[in-house]
Amino acid sequence: MDKNEIFDVSKLGFGLMRLPEKDGEIDYDHVCCMVDKYMDAGLNYFDTAYVYHSGKSEIAARECLVRRYPRESFKIATKLPAWCMKTKDDRDRIFNEQLERAGVDYFDFYLLHSLEDGNNYNTYEEFDCFNWGIQKKHEGKIKHFGFSYHGTPELLEIVLDKHPEIEFVQIQLNYADWKNPIVHSGKLYEILSRRNIPMIIMEPVKGGTLASLMPELEAKLKAARPESSIASWAMRFVGSLDGIITILSGMSNEEQMQDNLNTFTDFEPLSDSEKKLIEEVNEVMFNSPLIGCTSCRYCCDGCPSEINIPEVFRVLNTIRLYGEEWRSGNVYKVLTEKSGKAKDCIACGQCESVCPQHLSIIDLLAEASGHLDKE
């Protein structure tokens, strides 16, 4: 394989995890408009997964992309989830279902989903998923094989030593997580750079957290670049790094799409003074009490109490930062008209078992309940 061929994709990737919805279903008309805008800009990388949008993201890729554009005009990536497998037979069952859902004969990039210390990594080894992936590549069903990663730096070294066949790794990386002792963005980037392994970046804006900062921090960034969005700083931070295949953005509307297109058209890397400013912003953020939820919603699908956990945490973050219990309580009241309340948590632990950020969700819901479930 030509080492440079894997980089033959657009620097901005379209993540299909947070697609716009209407009446509880993916809004295909809206997504089609976003796909058209993205493709018209000459971009070509789409990232989905078996579990996104409760299994409907791959279908949306088929309806809004695959059936509307020539296959050679785009790259599509999807992922095999360890937590959906009980036997080795599930590998082919899921993979064949993904081909049908997406309406393709092959995937350009295929990943073992959310490899991390414990159950997920153990499952991939137990079911021989690494060799299975290489076999799928030999069959022409996969063009490039890798994994997305949420584990420790120590495990990453072990996996890469054991599996030199891996072509790329997808990691969570943003300026807020660069020194995060749980996410380890900086350390993971250093390991992969040292080994010359290409990277795909997820959560560059940390689930939208870095698109809206505390007012005093936004003022600092606006003073330096008045015409640039707050989110663009996060995208430029990642885009200024070497060894990156593409940077995924889970865009939910055309405004976010246009903002990203503005950032990556005639892309400007961060200057030394801008890097220093980001360090100052990051220092303040690292010492703030915000919950590091990225709104991936993995916790929601299996919640027996149907709690909209990411939105509850968004309300709790507002209380932590600004102490606005009354206003936050009104938002929470509307939110819980269609979903469970924080007090409805039965502490089953399902959410914590799938959280890529390793949040103590049960304790955090108890904290939220203390603020918001007052009779």
Side-chain angles (χ1 to χ4, degrees), residues 50-63:
Y50 186 70
V51 297
Y52 290 173
H53 280 276
S54 301
K56 298 175 183 178
S57 175
E58 291 167 335
I59 298 172
R62 180 188 70 209
E63 297 301 313

Side-chain angles (χ1 to χ4, degrees), residues 9 12 17 20 50 52 58 73 83 110 115 160 177 182 236-237 259 264 275 311 337 339 353:
V9 300
L12 173 64
M17 185 171 75
Y50 186 70
Y52 290 173
E58 291 167 335
S73 68
W83 55 98
Y110 197 81
L115 194 153
L160 295 176
D177 286 327
I182 295 176
R236 291 176 61 227
F237 174 85
D259 185 49
F264 283 92
K275 290 177 182 178
E311 291 304 313
E337 287 176 355
S339 62
S353 72

Side-chain angles (χ1 to χ4, degrees), residues 14 94 122 174 235 283 288 292 322 327 375:
F14 192 166
I94 291 172
N122 294 342
N174 54 70
M235 299 300 285
E283 187 66 26
S288 71
Y322 306 110
R327 292 181 185 275
E375 298 299 334

Side-chain angles (χ1 to χ4, degrees), residues 10 12-16 31 34-36 38-39 43-48 61 64-65 69 73-78 108-109 248 257:
S10 55
L12 173 64
F14 192 166
L16 306 180
V31 175
M34 294 175 67
V35 168
D36 292 346
Y38 179 82
M39 293 289 283
L43 309 180
N44 66 354
Y45 189 95
F46 295 83
D47 173 83
T48 182
C64 301
L65 172 69
Y69 285 91
S73 68
F74 60 85
K75 312 288 186 182
I76 186 168
T78 194
D108 300 277
F109 290 75
L248 302 176
M257 173 75 71

Side-chain angles (χ1 to χ4, degrees), residues 169-183:
V169 177
Q170 181 168 309
I171 61 170
Q172 176 173 324
L173 192 155
N174 54 70
Y175 66 76
D177 286 327
W178 189 259
K179 296 181 181 179
N180 187 321
I182 295 176
V183 180

Side-chain angles (χ1 to χ4, degrees), residues 329-349:
N330 287 340
V331 173
Y332 179 73
K333 182 179 180 180
V334 174
L335 168 67
T336 54
E337 287 176 355
K338 296 182 179 180
S339 62
K341 296 183 176 182
K343 69 177 182 180
D344 297 330
C345 174
I346 62 172
C348 66

Side-chain angles (χ1 to χ4, degrees), residues 110-154:
Y110 197 81
L111 301 83
L112 303 182
H113 200 167
S114 193
L115 194 153
E116 60 185 338
D117 308 66
N119 290 340
N120 284 6
Y121 174 56
N122 294 342
T123 297
Y124 292 132
E125 290 289 12
E126 178 184 356
F127 295 158
D128 198 26
C129 292
F130 290 90
N131 286 327
W132 171 86
I134 295 303
Q135 180 58 41
K136 283 287 180 272
K137 184 179 176 183
H138 291 329
E139 294 171 5
K141 299 295 183 65
I142 295 172
K143 298 299 183 183
H144 301 291
F145 182 56
F147 57 82
S148 63
Y149 192 75
H150 287 286
T152 61
E154 292 77 15

Side-chain angles (χ1 to χ4, degrees), residues 200-233:
I200 294 173
I201 303 304
M202 56 184 161
E203 304 293 358
V205 193
K206 199 171 172 63
T209 301
L210 303 183
S212 178
L213 306 178
M214 290 180 281
E216 60 269 31
L217 298 183
E218 289 199 1
K220 282 178 174 285
L221 299 182
K222 281 295 184 181
R225 289 177 72 97
E227 302 303 317
S228 296
S229 70
I230 302 303
S232 71
W233 285 83

